[in-house]
Structure formats: C-alpha cells, structure tokens
Amino acid sequence: MSFSKILLSSPHMGGGELKYIQEALNSNWTAPEASIIDLFEEDLECYLRKGHVTALNSGTAAIHLGLILLGVQPGDIVICQTMTFSASANPILYLGATPVFIDSEIETYNLCPIALEEAILDCIQSGKKPKAIIAVHLFGTPYKITEIRNVADKYGIPILEDSAEALGSSYKGQMCGTFGDIGVLSFNDNKIITTSGGGALITKNKKVKEKSIFLATQAKDKAPHYQHSEIGYNYRLSTICAGIGRGQMEVLEEHLVLKNIVHQFYIDLFKSIKGVTVYEVPDDNFTSNYWLTTIIIDPLQTNGIDKEMLRLALLQANIESRPLWKPLHLQPVFNKYKYYGSNVAQKLFEVGLCLPSGPILSNADKDRIRNVVFNIF
Ligand SMILES: *Cc1c(COP(=O)(O)O)cnc(C)c1O
C-alpha cells in the first residue's frame, strides 16, 4: 500500500513556533529560568482564566509533583480512574503509595461517583482515608464535575485533575484543568497542542506555584552555595520547548475547530450504519475538545463486525486506530490493586475504538476512511 499512514493524533505546527524558538535562542540564555517560560505560562493562565500555571517537561512529571504537593507519602492510598492512560497512575507508585482503581460511568466514560464513594467508605472503614483522587477527562470529555466534587468534599479529599487530554474542554463554561485542587496538562506530541514533550501544573495560589517551581528545579535553598533541605526534581520545561508552546497557543483555537469538524465527519459517516455509535457529550454543560473521536460497536447489530475487525481493516489501508484505553486494573502491572465498580470500563474497552482525529485530516484522508467503513459494513 503506497498511501501514507493516517495517524490517530498527529501534531500540527502553526507557523509561529520558529519565531518564538528564535526569540528563546536570541535571549542567549537557554537555562530554564529565562522568561519565555514565564510568557508561555501567562499565555496559558490567560486562556484558562483561572489558576496559576507551572510549565514542566511532561504531564507525567506534573502528576508526580501534584501528588507530592497534595502530601502523598509512602503507604498512602490514592484513588484513580481505571480507564485512563498508565501515566495517570504511575506516579502513585513512584511515591510508594497504593492505587485503588475506580470504574467509569457510561455518560462520560470517566470516574463513577457511586463506585468512588463506595471505595472511599471502604478505605475509611479499614482505617485509611485516601489522600487524593485522580480524576481524568478521558479523550477530552469532562468528568462529572459536580458529582465528583460533591463526593470529594463530603470526605475532605483533594482532587488531582488529569486534564492531559482536555486542554480546551470545558464544563458550564469553565475550562478543564481548573476544577481540581491541582490540575495537570500535557503537551506531548499527540496531545491537543505540543511542545515536543511537556506538561503543566495548575495550582490555586501563587505560593503553591512557587513551591512547584522550587521542587521542579532541584529544590535549591536560598544560599550562595548549593544548599538542599528537600529532595528536588529536574522537571522544568526548557526555553526551546516553551517557544514551541507559545507558537502552539496561537493555533489552539484552530485545532479545537478542526477537531470538532473531524468529530462531525464521523457522526455523519456512521449515521446510516446500524450498531455503531459515535461518542457525544451527555448535554450542553459539557464541551469536549474531542481530542479523539471514539465509537462503540455492537456486533449484534452489525452482522458480527466488531471493533477488532474494523481496526484490522483500517490498518490494512494504513490507517491507525486503537481500542479505548485498557482499564488499569486489568493491566499486568496494576492488577494486584483493589478495584471498585461494575465493569463498565471493561465493556467499553471491549467494544470501543478511537479513530484518527488529527487536526490535519484531509479530504483525501476522509475518503480513505469512508471507503474502509463502507466496505466493511
Ligand atoms: C498523555 C497523558 C498523560 C501523560 O502526559 P505526558 O506529557 O505524556 O507525560 C497523563 N494522563 C493522560 C490521561 C494522558 O493522556
């Protein structure tokens, strides 16, 4: 097959990036204290309209620092949505804490508030209140903000909001990333904007932001020599990457429009195909960036065509697709930890597929996808 590969989520440069990288180089100061990082943070704060932003070198680093700032210690319990990317939960283990996994509800595919409360009560009963809740906006869909906040507040447990996939998504007009006690963004290559690897922490006040920068830059105490009274990390975003980020902020709105067009393309494409449902947000309070458009296939209504057959047919045409994220409690590395729920996430994993959702999906690409879909169904 001579067609080029259509990727699940390809990065897209807007054109302004080189200018900002040049500015970073011209400043003749490529150490991470330089001000282009501050400017990228200001761009993000302006966009989010709430909170203080610390630019870091990955979303994973942001989750790690976020848990540290929430006081997570070895032996603590941290609750985490099971249907998510492994990076949501890995930092729990970096810290020697214990994850407890929670099922999804069917409307947003995110944290189920009922299973969440059940888990919290169980933990409290066995003598250990969870230290934090990691809630994720999977594929760009906001989790049930009000319900999850109510449960968290009822028991006084802070929320770490993993908004790695949800920059530009919102709930009742408020931007994702600003709902948690601490929020996290990712600027990895495949995310809604990229810094060629990067992330951010969103905090409620200046003091916590300063503490996060302190920890992210090797925890250097104020002294003429190198003086340390805490363990530090090398987690700050580089100036060059911040330059790419400033350029990408100029095309964020355009990316959101393009993602929506891709989502609409799939709604139209599958409208006439029985047994295939394109995911849509539950109501107007939820705005998804549709980072990835996902579908669910019911083989009983498609003459036995299931998500794996569609995936293979797409692959044969050099088109990438991927099952919905495999629940973490089913992963070999996490399956010894507790899980609460009724296997909603597992069922979604079994029947769901993520479709190519890059912002630069061309008409020719769409034709190729349409052909595979019409051929198989
Ligand atoms: C990508 C991603 C992360 C990790 O971000 P990186 O910048 O790749 O380290 C964390 N959580 C979720 C849900 C993600 O999709």
Side-chain angles (χ1 to χ4, degrees), residues 56-63 83-89 91 134 136-139 162-166 184-191 197-200 291 325:
L56 300 172
N57 57 18
S58 76
T60 310
I63 295 170
M83 191 164 212
T84 183
F85 184 58
S86 62
S88 300
I134 300 176
V136 186
H137 308 298
L138 203 66
F139 308 126
D162 182 348
S163 193
E165 301 176 1
V184 166
L185 298 173
S186 166
F187 313 119
N188 196 11
D189 281 345
N190 61 349
K191 298 289 158 61
W291 171 60
W325 294 185

mmCIF file of all heavy atoms in Angstrom, residues 56-63 83-89 91 134 136-139 162-166 184-191 197-200 291 325, ligand 1:
data_model
loop_
_atom_site.group_PDB
_atom_site.id
_atom_site.type_symbol
_atom_site.label_atom_id
_atom_site.label_comp_id
_atom_site.label_asym_id
_atom_site.label_seq_id
_atom_site.Cartn_x
_atom_site.Cartn_y
_atom_site.Cartn_z
ATOM 1 N N LEU A 56 6.151 22.427 32.898
ATOM 2 C CA LEU A 56 7.050 21.324 33.245
ATOM 3 C C LEU A 56 7.399 20.523 31.988
ATOM 4 O O LEU A 56 6.839 20.767 30.918
ATOM 5 C CB LEU A 56 6.386 20.417 34.283
ATOM 6 C CG LEU A 56 6.013 21.079 35.615
ATOM 7 C CD1 LEU A 56 5.190 20.134 36.476
ATOM 8 C CD2 LEU A 56 7.263 21.546 36.355
ATOM 9 N N ASN A 57 8.327 19.565 32.156
ATOM 10 C CA ASN A 57 8.781 18.858 30.953
ATOM 11 C C ASN A 57 7.937 17.633 30.574
ATOM 12 O O ASN A 57 8.204 16.982 29.578
ATOM 13 C CB ASN A 57 10.269 18.506 31.049
ATOM 14 C CG ASN A 57 10.597 17.671 32.273
ATOM 15 O OD1 ASN A 57 9.703 17.073 32.875
ATOM 16 N ND2 ASN A 57 11.864 17.623 32.645
ATOM 17 N N SER A 58 6.897 17.324 31.335
ATOM 18 C CA SER A 58 5.912 16.324 30.892
ATOM 19 C C SER A 58 4.670 16.378 31.767
ATOM 20 O O SER A 58 4.714 16.902 32.888
ATOM 21 C CB SER A 58 6.503 14.896 30.919
ATOM 22 O OG SER A 58 6.561 14.409 32.247
ATOM 23 N N GLY A 59 3.609 15.806 31.252
ATOM 24 C CA GLY A 59 2.397 15.684 32.048
ATOM 25 C C GLY A 59 2.610 14.710 33.194
ATOM 26 O O GLY A 59 2.073 14.891 34.296
ATOM 27 N N THR A 60 3.406 13.683 32.950
ATOM 28 C CA THR A 60 3.695 12.698 33.998
ATOM 29 C C THR A 60 4.413 13.367 35.168
ATOM 30 O O THR A 60 4.085 13.120 36.339
ATOM 31 C CB THR A 60 4.560 11.556 33.427
ATOM 32 O OG1 THR A 60 3.953 11.080 32.229
ATOM 33 C CG2 THR A 60 4.692 10.421 34.407
ATOM 34 N N ALA A 61 5.385 14.227 34.841
ATOM 35 C CA ALA A 61 6.098 14.978 35.888
ATOM 36 C C ALA A 61 5.110 15.844 36.664
ATOM 37 O O ALA A 61 5.213 15.970 37.893
ATOM 38 C CB ALA A 61 7.188 15.848 35.269
ATOM 39 N N ALA A 62 4.137 16.421 35.955
ATOM 40 C CA ALA A 62 3.148 17.279 36.617
ATOM 41 C C ALA A 62 2.310 16.459 37.601
ATOM 42 O O ALA A 62 2.028 16.909 38.718
ATOM 43 C CB ALA A 62 2.260 17.955 35.578
ATOM 44 N N ILE A 63 1.908 15.251 37.209
ATOM 45 C CA ILE A 63 1.126 14.400 38.114
ATOM 46 C C ILE A 63 1.972 14.030 39.337
ATOM 47 O O ILE A 63 1.509 14.083 40.476
ATOM 48 C CB ILE A 63 0.614 13.139 37.383
ATOM 49 C CG1 ILE A 63 -0.388 13.549 36.290
ATOM 50 C CG2 ILE A 63 -0.038 12.162 38.364
ATOM 51 C CD1 ILE A 63 -0.770 12.433 35.345
ATOM 52 N N MET A 83 -10.071 3.666 33.828
ATOM 53 C CA MET A 83 -9.987 3.805 32.377
ATOM 54 C C MET A 83 -9.218 5.076 32.053
ATOM 55 O O MET A 83 -9.772 6.177 31.982
ATOM 56 C CB MET A 83 -11.372 3.863 31.749
ATOM 57 C CG MET A 83 -11.277 3.735 30.237
ATOM 58 S SD MET A 83 -12.852 3.354 29.525
ATOM 59 C CE MET A 83 -12.320 2.372 28.146
ATOM 60 N N THR A 84 -7.911 4.930 31.884
ATOM 61 C CA THR A 84 -7.052 6.070 31.588
ATOM 62 C C THR A 84 -5.725 5.551 31.095
ATOM 63 O O THR A 84 -5.474 4.342 31.081
ATOM 64 C CB THR A 84 -6.859 6.958 32.834
ATOM 65 O OG1 THR A 84 -6.065 8.102 32.484
ATOM 66 C CG2 THR A 84 -6.168 6.218 33.974
ATOM 67 N N PHE A 85 -4.868 6.453 30.694
ATOM 68 C CA PHE A 85 -3.510 6.102 30.292
ATOM 69 C C PHE A 85 -2.677 5.828 31.547
ATOM 70 O O PHE A 85 -2.914 6.430 32.595
ATOM 71 C CB PHE A 85 -2.930 7.268 29.476
ATOM 72 C CG PHE A 85 -1.577 7.001 28.915
ATOM 73 C CD1 PHE A 85 -1.362 5.927 28.066
ATOM 74 C CD2 PHE A 85 -0.515 7.830 29.236
ATOM 75 C CE1 PHE A 85 -0.098 5.675 27.550
ATOM 76 C CE2 PHE A 85 0.747 7.579 28.711
ATOM 77 C CZ PHE A 85 0.953 6.509 27.872
ATOM 78 N N SER A 86 -1.730 4.899 31.430
ATOM 79 C CA SER A 86 -0.958 4.462 32.602
ATOM 80 C C SER A 86 -0.288 5.620 33.344
ATOM 81 O O SER A 86 -0.096 5.550 34.562
ATOM 82 C CB SER A 86 0.106 3.453 32.174
ATOM 83 O OG SER A 86 1.010 4.072 31.274
ATOM 84 N N ALA A 87 0.035 6.690 32.620
ATOM 85 C CA ALA A 87 0.745 7.818 33.246
ATOM 86 C C ALA A 87 -0.093 8.503 34.323
ATOM 87 O O ALA A 87 0.451 9.199 35.173
ATOM 88 C CB ALA A 87 1.166 8.839 32.193
ATOM 89 N N SER A 88 -1.413 8.315 34.296
ATOM 90 C CA SER A 88 -2.245 8.877 35.379
ATOM 91 C C SER A 88 -1.881 8.238 36.707
ATOM 92 O O SER A 88 -1.925 8.886 37.747
ATOM 93 C CB SER A 88 -3.737 8.622 35.120
ATOM 94 O OG SER A 88 -4.166 9.205 33.923
ATOM 95 N N ALA A 89 -1.545 6.950 36.674
ATOM 96 C CA ALA A 89 -1.359 6.190 37.926
ATOM 97 C C ALA A 89 0.105 5.914 38.266
ATOM 98 O O ALA A 89 0.434 5.725 39.437
ATOM 99 C CB ALA A 89 -2.111 4.862 37.840
ATOM 100 N N PRO A 91 2.758 7.691 38.763
ATOM 101 C CA PRO A 91 3.374 8.472 39.850
ATOM 102 C C PRO A 91 2.911 8.057 41.251
ATOM 103 O O PRO A 91 3.636 8.294 42.225
ATOM 104 C CB PRO A 91 2.952 9.913 39.530
ATOM 105 C CG PRO A 91 2.751 9.917 38.040
ATOM 106 C CD PRO A 91 2.139 8.582 37.753
ATOM 107 N N ILE A 134 -7.494 10.930 41.753
ATOM 108 C CA ILE A 134 -7.074 11.331 40.405
ATOM 109 C C ILE A 134 -8.259 11.118 39.466
ATOM 110 O O ILE A 134 -8.681 9.986 39.204
ATOM 111 C CB ILE A 134 -5.851 10.530 39.937
ATOM 112 C CG1 ILE A 134 -4.676 10.764 40.906
ATOM 113 C CG2 ILE A 134 -5.458 10.930 38.511
ATOM 114 C CD1 ILE A 134 -3.434 9.948 40.591
ATOM 115 N N VAL A 136 -9.916 11.973 35.654
ATOM 116 C CA VAL A 136 -9.374 12.190 34.308
ATOM 117 C C VAL A 136 -10.489 12.639 33.351
ATOM 118 O O VAL A 136 -11.614 12.141 33.441
ATOM 119 C CB VAL A 136 -8.744 10.882 33.771
ATOM 120 C CG1 VAL A 136 -8.047 11.110 32.441
ATOM 121 C CG2 VAL A 136 -7.781 10.287 34.791
ATOM 122 N N HIS A 137 -10.171 13.566 32.448
ATOM 123 C CA HIS A 137 -11.090 13.921 31.361
ATOM 124 C C HIS A 137 -10.674 13.110 30.125
ATOM 125 O O HIS A 137 -9.957 13.612 29.255
ATOM 126 C CB HIS A 137 -11.020 15.407 31.023
ATOM 127 C CG HIS A 137 -11.187 16.330 32.192
ATOM 128 N ND1 HIS A 137 -12.334 16.374 32.945
ATOM 129 C CD2 HIS A 137 -10.368 17.261 32.732
ATOM 130 C CE1 HIS A 137 -12.208 17.304 33.887
ATOM 131 N NE2 HIS A 137 -11.016 17.845 33.778
ATOM 132 N N LEU A 138 -11.118 11.852 30.071
ATOM 133 C CA LEU A 138 -10.611 10.949 29.035
ATOM 134 C C LEU A 138 -11.089 11.361 27.641
ATOM 135 O O LEU A 138 -12.268 11.680 27.458
ATOM 136 C CB LEU A 138 -11.061 9.527 29.355
ATOM 137 C CG LEU A 138 -10.190 8.431 28.733
ATOM 138 C CD1 LEU A 138 -8.793 8.436 29.324
ATOM 139 C CD2 LEU A 138 -10.827 7.068 28.919
ATOM 140 N N PHE A 139 -10.187 11.311 26.698
ATOM 141 C CA PHE A 139 -10.446 11.662 25.291
ATOM 142 C C PHE A 139 -10.953 13.098 25.135
ATOM 143 O O PHE A 139 -11.470 13.461 24.081
ATOM 144 C CB PHE A 139 -11.433 10.676 24.637
ATOM 145 C CG PHE A 139 -11.035 9.233 24.815
ATOM 146 C CD1 PHE A 139 -11.919 8.309 25.356
ATOM 147 C CD2 PHE A 139 -9.766 8.802 24.454
ATOM 148 C CE1 PHE A 139 -11.537 6.980 25.539
ATOM 149 C CE2 PHE A 139 -9.385 7.487 24.629
ATOM 150 C CZ PHE A 139 -10.263 6.575 25.171
ATOM 151 N N ASP A 162 -6.576 15.255 36.108
ATOM 152 C CA ASP A 162 -5.706 14.923 34.970
ATOM 153 C C ASP A 162 -6.392 15.404 33.690
ATOM 154 O O ASP A 162 -7.224 14.725 33.107
ATOM 155 C CB ASP A 162 -5.449 13.412 34.940
ATOM 156 C CG ASP A 162 -4.523 13.009 33.805
ATOM 157 O OD1 ASP A 162 -4.262 13.845 32.917
ATOM 158 O OD2 ASP A 162 -4.063 11.843 33.791
ATOM 159 N N SER A 163 -5.972 16.602 33.271
ATOM 160 C CA SER A 163 -6.561 17.239 32.090
ATOM 161 C C SER A 163 -5.617 17.129 30.892
ATOM 162 O O SER A 163 -5.671 17.945 29.969
ATOM 163 C CB SER A 163 -6.880 18.700 32.414
ATOM 164 O OG SER A 163 -7.705 19.269 31.444
ATOM 165 N N ALA A 164 -4.769 16.086 30.914
ATOM 166 C CA ALA A 164 -3.748 15.919 29.867
ATOM 167 C C ALA A 164 -4.358 15.881 28.466
ATOM 168 O O ALA A 164 -3.756 16.362 27.504
ATOM 169 C CB ALA A 164 -2.952 14.637 30.122
ATOM 170 N N GLU A 165 -5.567 15.321 28.372
ATOM 171 C CA GLU A 165 -6.194 15.167 27.055
ATOM 172 C C GLU A 165 -7.247 16.244 26.807
ATOM 173 O O GLU A 165 -7.928 16.205 25.781
ATOM 174 C CB GLU A 165 -6.830 13.761 26.963
ATOM 175 C CG GLU A 165 -5.793 12.648 27.161
ATOM 176 C CD GLU A 165 -6.386 11.241 27.166
ATOM 177 O OE1 GLU A 165 -7.612 11.092 26.990
ATOM 178 O OE2 GLU A 165 -5.602 10.280 27.363
ATOM 179 N N ALA A 166 -7.390 17.195 27.733
ATOM 180 C CA ALA A 166 -8.599 18.037 27.704
ATOM 181 C C ALA A 166 -8.344 19.540 27.688
ATOM 182 O O ALA A 166 -9.221 20.313 28.072
ATOM 183 C CB ALA A 166 -9.489 17.676 28.881
ATOM 184 N N VAL A 184 -3.604 19.225 35.814
ATOM 185 C CA VAL A 184 -2.453 18.785 35.021
ATOM 186 C C VAL A 184 -2.771 18.879 33.528
ATOM 187 O O VAL A 184 -3.861 18.491 33.096
ATOM 188 C CB VAL A 184 -2.094 17.317 35.382
ATOM 189 C CG1 VAL A 184 -1.154 16.713 34.360
ATOM 190 C CG2 VAL A 184 -1.492 17.238 36.775
ATOM 191 N N LEU A 185 -1.824 19.400 32.760
ATOM 192 C CA LEU A 185 -1.934 19.395 31.297
ATOM 193 C C LEU A 185 -0.750 18.635 30.714
ATOM 194 O O LEU A 185 0.285 18.505 31.362
ATOM 195 C CB LEU A 185 -1.920 20.824 30.739
ATOM 196 C CG LEU A 185 -3.048 21.764 31.144
ATOM 197 C CD1 LEU A 185 -2.759 23.176 30.627
ATOM 198 C CD2 LEU A 185 -4.387 21.261 30.615
ATOM 199 N N SER A 186 -0.912 18.144 29.485
ATOM 200 C CA SER A 186 0.214 17.537 28.760
ATOM 201 C C SER A 186 0.358 18.194 27.395
ATOM 202 O O SER A 186 -0.635 18.514 26.750
ATOM 203 C CB SER A 186 -0.010 16.030 28.574
ATOM 204 O OG SER A 186 0.904 15.526 27.607
ATOM 205 N N PHE A 187 1.610 18.392 27.007
ATOM 206 C CA PHE A 187 1.902 18.909 25.661
ATOM 207 C C PHE A 187 2.763 17.905 24.900
ATOM 208 O O PHE A 187 3.686 18.267 24.171
ATOM 209 C CB PHE A 187 2.604 20.271 25.730
ATOM 210 C CG PHE A 187 1.952 21.232 26.678
ATOM 211 C CD1 PHE A 187 2.660 21.733 27.766
ATOM 212 C CD2 PHE A 187 0.637 21.617 26.503
ATOM 213 C CE1 PHE A 187 2.064 22.609 28.662
ATOM 214 C CE2 PHE A 187 0.024 22.496 27.397
ATOM 215 C CZ PHE A 187 0.749 22.995 28.482
ATOM 216 N N ASN A 188 2.470 16.618 25.110
ATOM 217 C CA ASN A 188 3.157 15.568 24.355
ATOM 218 C C ASN A 188 2.782 15.701 22.871
ATOM 219 O O ASN A 188 1.834 16.381 22.516
ATOM 220 C CB ASN A 188 2.723 14.212 24.930
ATOM 221 C CG ASN A 188 3.635 13.093 24.492
ATOM 222 O OD1 ASN A 188 4.703 13.350 23.924
ATOM 223 N ND2 ASN A 188 3.237 11.864 24.732
ATOM 224 N N ASP A 189 3.545 15.026 22.011
ATOM 225 C CA ASP A 189 3.346 15.124 20.557
ATOM 226 C C ASP A 189 1.919 14.875 20.111
ATOM 227 O O ASP A 189 1.457 15.436 19.129
ATOM 228 C CB ASP A 189 4.214 14.078 19.848
ATOM 229 C CG ASP A 189 5.646 14.526 19.751
ATOM 230 O OD1 ASP A 189 5.901 15.728 19.968
ATOM 231 O OD2 ASP A 189 6.506 13.681 19.458
ATOM 232 N N ASN A 190 1.234 13.969 20.810
ATOM 233 C CA ASN A 190 -0.085 13.542 20.334
ATOM 234 C C ASN A 190 -1.229 14.327 20.962
ATOM 235 O O ASN A 190 -2.383 14.054 20.690
ATOM 236 C CB ASN A 190 -0.263 12.037 20.600
ATOM 237 C CG ASN A 190 -0.175 11.698 22.080
ATOM 238 O OD1 ASN A 190 0.219 12.531 22.897
ATOM 239 N ND2 ASN A 190 -0.548 10.491 22.432
ATOM 240 N N LYS A 191 -0.931 15.291 21.812
ATOM 241 C CA LYS A 191 -1.994 15.989 22.530
ATOM 242 C C LYS A 191 -2.516 17.184 21.721
ATOM 243 O O LYS A 191 -2.075 17.434 20.617
ATOM 244 C CB LYS A 191 -1.493 16.407 23.918
ATOM 245 C CG LYS A 191 -1.100 15.200 24.793
ATOM 246 C CD LYS A 191 -2.288 14.391 25.258
ATOM 247 C CE LYS A 191 -1.991 12.965 25.657
ATOM 248 N NZ LYS A 191 -1.082 12.763 26.746
ATOM 249 N N GLY A 197 6.949 17.573 23.766
ATOM 250 C CA GLY A 197 7.185 16.979 25.083
ATOM 251 C C GLY A 197 7.122 18.056 26.141
ATOM 252 O O GLY A 197 7.975 18.946 26.184
ATOM 253 N N GLY A 198 6.096 17.994 26.980
ATOM 254 C CA GLY A 198 5.963 18.994 28.035
ATOM 255 C C GLY A 198 4.647 18.805 28.766
ATOM 256 O O GLY A 198 3.819 17.970 28.388
ATOM 257 N N GLY A 199 4.488 19.562 29.835
ATOM 258 C CA GLY A 199 3.261 19.486 30.616
ATOM 259 C C GLY A 199 3.146 20.708 31.496
ATOM 260 O O GLY A 199 3.996 21.596 31.455
ATOM 261 N N ALA A 200 2.091 20.758 32.278
ATOM 262 C CA ALA A 200 1.919 21.898 33.179
ATOM 263 C C ALA A 200 1.111 21.501 34.395
ATOM 264 O O ALA A 200 0.301 20.572 34.350
ATOM 265 C CB ALA A 200 1.233 23.061 32.469
ATOM 266 N N TRP A 291 -10.589 15.493 21.521
ATOM 267 C CA TRP A 291 -9.184 15.179 21.217
ATOM 268 C C TRP A 291 -9.116 13.912 20.369
ATOM 269 O O TRP A 291 -8.438 13.872 19.355
ATOM 270 C CB TRP A 291 -8.387 15.011 22.515
ATOM 271 C CG TRP A 291 -7.015 14.494 22.290
ATOM 272 C CD1 TRP A 291 -6.030 15.093 21.544
ATOM 273 C CD2 TRP A 291 -6.455 13.275 22.785
ATOM 274 N NE1 TRP A 291 -4.897 14.317 21.550
ATOM 275 C CE2 TRP A 291 -5.135 13.199 22.299
ATOM 276 C CE3 TRP A 291 -6.941 12.236 23.596
ATOM 277 C CZ2 TRP A 291 -4.293 12.125 22.603
ATOM 278 C CZ3 TRP A 291 -6.099 11.187 23.890
ATOM 279 C CH2 TRP A 291 -4.791 11.135 23.397
ATOM 280 N N TRP A 325 -8.712 3.020 25.904
ATOM 281 C CA TRP A 325 -7.625 2.680 26.829
ATOM 282 C C TRP A 325 -8.031 1.485 27.706
ATOM 283 O O TRP A 325 -9.105 1.490 28.319
ATOM 284 C CB TRP A 325 -7.281 3.868 27.721
ATOM 285 C CG TRP A 325 -6.683 5.084 27.099
ATOM 286 C CD1 TRP A 325 -6.235 6.174 27.805
ATOM 287 C CD2 TRP A 325 -6.431 5.387 25.711
ATOM 288 N NE1 TRP A 325 -5.746 7.114 26.924
ATOM 289 C CE2 TRP A 325 -5.851 6.670 25.645
ATOM 290 C CE3 TRP A 325 -6.627 4.727 24.501
ATOM 291 C CZ2 TRP A 325 -5.485 7.282 24.453
ATOM 292 C CZ3 TRP A 325 -6.277 5.330 23.300
ATOM 293 C CH2 TRP A 325 -5.705 6.575 23.285
HETATM 294 C C1 LIG B 1 -0.635 11.847 27.891
HETATM 295 C C2 LIG B 1 -1.243 11.607 29.187
HETATM 296 C C3 LIG B 1 -0.530 11.750 30.378
HETATM 297 C C4 LIG B 1 0.948 11.961 30.423
HETATM 298 O O1 LIG B 1 1.412 13.109 29.795
HETATM 299 P P1 LIG B 1 2.907 13.129 29.214
HETATM 300 O O2 LIG B 1 3.098 14.575 28.859
HETATM 301 O O3 LIG B 1 2.937 12.239 28.020
HETATM 302 O O4 LIG B 1 3.831 12.684 30.296
HETATM 303 C C5 LIG B 1 -1.204 11.593 31.576
HETATM 304 N N1 LIG B 1 -2.512 11.305 31.606
HETATM 305 C C6 LIG B 1 -3.239 11.159 30.492
HETATM 306 C C7 LIG B 1 -4.696 10.853 30.600
HETATM 307 C C8 LIG B 1 -2.624 11.278 29.241
HETATM 308 O O5 LIG B 1 -3.345 11.084 28.131
#
